[in-house]
Amino acid sequence: AQKITQTQPGMFVQEKEAVTLDCTYDTSDQSYGLFWYKQPSSGEMIFLIYQGSYDEQNATEGRYSLNFQKARKSANLVISASQLGDSAMYFCPLGGATNKLIFGTGTLLAVQP
Amino acid sequence: ETGVTQTPRHLVMGMTNKKSLKCEQHLGHNAMYWYKQSAKKPLELMFVYNFKEQTENNSVPSRFSPECPNSSHLFLHLHTLQPEDSALYLCASSQDGTGVSNEQFFGPGTRLTVL
């Protein structure tokens, strides 16, 4: 069965510091993808970054980078230089061949000034 | 309008009412999705439409009835709901319904409260 585990219900980080949000997954698919989305209090899910299972390089997108460790089945998100606007819920859904996204319970990030 | 829009943004209804949620995407995508997000639970996929055809019904109770008249519009018709159906209902779209790298674009959601 496919599953996503985010073990950090909540995280605090000081403004301008880096933070790592953990994500582990379980799947029997050979080809899959990991996404990270941000959900502010307004409700909309905002796409941040994507990592494919066959991608050899870790994905990066501006201040976001993905620490992909395939053998450990982990895909942690690193946010560098945190900003107040980064405060939100963060999800790392797993995508498979059918394009169904499997979500975990998310991590609530609070950036403190 | 750009991206994915949803109306209404907030809805309060009684258990005997009939209402509909609307989703519209302006991205030229061919797949559309309904998700339910309840407090402290992972997002649950409810329905998937690919090229207007329903390809997934994730054991959703019949009091939720989806409709996809074309690739740009998706509705969720609600009737005889229960208080436990109160949640944020999110609509999403993607280029199509296959492939591991298809990013899904989400709307802002409808916050539904059933009294």
Side-chain angles (χ1 to χ4, degrees), chain A residues 31-33 35 37 39 42-45 47 50 91 95-101 103-105, chain B residues 9 33 35 37 42-43 45 56 88 90 94 96-104 106-108:
Chain A
S31 179
Y32 54 88
F35 299 79
Y37 283 85
Q39 186 181 37
S42 57
E44 183 176 354
M45 289 278 187
F47 168 75
Y50 167 80
F91 296 92
T98 60
N99 207 35
K100 289 167 59 174
L101 291 182
F103 283 79
T105 50
Chain B
R9 293 294 309 276
Y33 312 77
Y35 289 88
Q37 186 176 26
L43 253 74
L45 178 65
E56 183 86 22
L88 180 68
L90 289 163
S94 67
D96 57 47
T98 62
V100 299
S101 62
N102 263 326
E103 172 193 342
Q104 292 185 21
F106 286 80

Side-chain angles (χ1 to χ4, degrees), chain A residues 3 19 25 31 39 44 56 61-62 83 92 99 101 105 107:
Chain A
K3 185 179 179 182
V19 63
Y25 61 91
S31 179
Q39 186 181 37
E44 183 176 354
E56 295 188 353
E61 196 69 51
Q83 302 172 354
C92 62
N99 207 35
L101 291 182
T105 50
T107 295

